Amino acid sequence: MLFYAMTSQGLEDVLVQELQELGLKKVTKAFLGAYFEGEMEDCITANICSRIATRIMLHLKTFEAKNNDDLYQNVKDIPFEDYVDADKTLVVHATARGEIFKDSRFVALKAKDAIVDRYRGKFGVRPSVDKDSPDLIVNVRVVRDQVDISLDTSGDSLSLRGYRKTTVMAPLREHLGYGLLKLAGWSPTMNIVDPMCGSGTFVIEGALTALNQYPGLNKSCFQFQKYKNYDDEMFQSLCDKYLSQELQETATRFFGYDVSREAVSAAKDNVRAAGVEDLVTISRSGVDALQAPCESGLVIVNPPYGERLDDENLKDVYRDLGYSLKNN
């Protein structure tokens, strides 16, 4: 089977590295993600362990479509009944770029019609549409005349770790926070200092990684658990395997600072929710007063860029940050 791990632009290379480190086979870089080959065990592993992927998709078919009939018939030929029965629910998500198919909503509707017509023709009944909690999530991506059909195996985004109880303006998404740590060359033995920590994404992602806690182990439900080929014994075995690899303690420490009382409060709430209070210290401080809290480590910051501060205050912040980094 062929799977596609989705991520944000710019994280493709570190995603490939991560998937290879997880032992997945034939990993190749792709636009906004990476492909890998394997069985459902590999799909489950990627869902549980990847910190950089946002979704794991099961690739079903790629075809060329010159018109609406090509799209409809090719989708109708896919045996969706292998994944869910006719009395289940579905939703179709689509993206379309090109001259032939320009309207994503039309593509989604045409694909949905093809799927339900297949079920009706084979079983006399059809699945109903459920946008909130469907049993089958079908993804259709059209680029010019090339159409990719895949199934979502993740459900809710893998970026949603579950620890973010409080947010601030323009929060950094969890997978992006970890991906930037990897791009910066961070390893779990390196301390982290974030002088403008916001809701604490960098330091929390670092702390969880240092304890070898995989994000998917906190997820309540994956989409693949709703599919007919789901093997609960395999899933529980893999969960036990990765739970057993967690560490009880680490010497690595994490320090987050912010001048905003709201941000400090939010970061502390999230640190508690993540269960990493022993590793992470959150304090209120401006960048002008930044001091090194440890002998060595990585300083990483997602500074304001105009959304949160006006231009004059922005100049002061960057001046103070540069001064502190140079002198302290």
Side-chain angles (χ1 to χ4, degrees):
M1 291 187 284
L2 181 64
F3 298 95
Y4 173 61
M6 300 172 62
T7 192
S8 296
Q9 187 171 1
L11 298 184
E12 295 93 342
D13 288 330
V14 286
L15 175 62
V16 168
Q17 178 187 347
E18 179 190 55
L19 296 176
Q20 290 172 334
E21 290 171 351
L22 291 173
L24 302 180
K25 307 300 182 185
K26 296 185 179 179
V27 181
T28 56
K29 179 181 175 181
F31 177 63
L32 298 179
Y35 286 102
F36 64 93
E37 294 183 20
E39 303 302 325
M40 279 307 298
E41 181 176 354
D42 302 294
C43 171
I44 294 172
T45 294
N47 272 290
I48 291 175
C49 299
S50 179
R51 306 176 195 278
I52 301 174
T54 54
R55 294 185 187 279
I56 308 298
M57 312 296 293
L58 169 57
H59 183 267
L60 297 182
K61 188 176 185 179
T62 297
F63 57 89
E64 185 180 274
K66 296 294 187 181
N67 52 53
N68 297 340
D69 289 339
D70 287 346
L71 174 65
Y72 175 88
Q73 194 58 55
N74 274 281
V75 173
K76 190 177 180 183
D77 288 342
I78 299 172
F80 292 99
E81 66 274 9
D82 290 350
Y83 301 95
V84 300
D85 291 325
D87 61 347
K88 302 298 183 179
T89 60
L90 66 84
V91 69
V92 178
H93 299 305
T95 58
R97 292 184 298 161
E99 293 301 316
I100 300 174
F101 301 99
K102 300 179 181 180
D103 189 339
S104 298
R105 292 170 298 180
F106 173 81
V107 171
L109 181 62
K110 198 71 176 177
K112 185 267 297 179
D113 289 344
I115 297 168
V116 299
D117 286 351
R118 177 183 178 90
Y119 275 101
R120 186 186 291 112
K122 291 181 72 71
F123 307 106
V125 292
R126 49 153 288 180
S128 58
V129 174
D130 183 345
K131 296 181 180 180
D132 297 322
S133 184
D135 297 301
L136 185 72
I137 302 178
V138 181
N139 184 271
V140 183
R141 184 173 67 170
V142 184
V143 180
R144 293 182 292 278
D145 61 354
Q146 294 297 304
V147 183
D148 286 320
I149 308 294
S150 57
L151 297 185
D152 188 345
T153 72
S154 302
D156 291 337
S157 173
L158 300 178
S159 186
L160 301 174
R161 314 289 205 225
Y163 62 72
R164 184 170 281 174
K165 303 303 179 183
T166 312
T167 62
V168 295
M169 188 181 297
L172 191 67
R173 292 179 66 189
E174 294 92 322
H175 79 284
L176 185 55
Y178 178 77
L180 289 170
L181 287 174
K182 292 297 289 183
L183 285 172
W186 178 78
S187 71
T189 59
M190 298 170 63
N191 302 317
I192 290 178
V193 177
D194 183 353
M196 307 172 88
C197 69
S199 57
T201 306
F202 282 132
V203 290
I204 295 173
E205 287 295 312
L208 292 171
T209 304
L211 291 172
N212 208 36
Q213 293 186 10
Y214 291 107
L217 293 173
N218 295 318
K219 193 173 171 69
S220 59
C221 179
F222 292 97
Q223 195 66 30
F224 62 74
Q225 292 176 285
K226 299 182 179 182
Y227 295 160
K228 291 168 70 172
N229 60 352
Y230 169 61
D231 184 338
D232 187 62
E233 185 175 340
M234 177 196 295
F235 174 64
Q236 296 301 330
S237 176
L238 287 169
C239 287
D240 291 342
K241 171 186 174 180
Y242 293 114
L243 274 171
S244 70
Q245 296 177 8
E246 292 185 0
L247 304 176
Q248 296 303 309
E249 57 184 28
T250 176
T252 315
R253 291 297 180 264
F254 305 86
F255 304 89
Y257 304 94
D258 208 287
V259 71
S260 164
R261 294 182 187 273
E262 178 187 6
V264 169
S265 177
K268 287 182 176 180
D269 286 345
N270 295 334
V271 166
R272 280 192 295 270
V276 290
E277 304 101 310
D278 293 343
L279 307 185
V280 180
T281 300
I282 303 293
S283 305
R284 183 168 181 256
S285 174
V287 291
D288 57 332
L290 181 66
Q291 298 286 332
C294 51
E295 288 297 315
S296 64
L298 173 72
V299 178
I300 187 165
V301 58
N302 178 30
Y305 44 87
E307 293 293 322
R308 292 173 285 178
L309 290 174
D310 59 53
D311 289 343
E312 287 305 312
N313 284 330
L314 206 59
K315 292 177 183 178
D316 293 340
V317 168
Y318 277 84
R319 181 199 63 214
D320 293 342
L321 177 61
Y323 178 87
S324 293
L325 291 174
K326 182 171 69 172
N327 291 281
N328 301 333

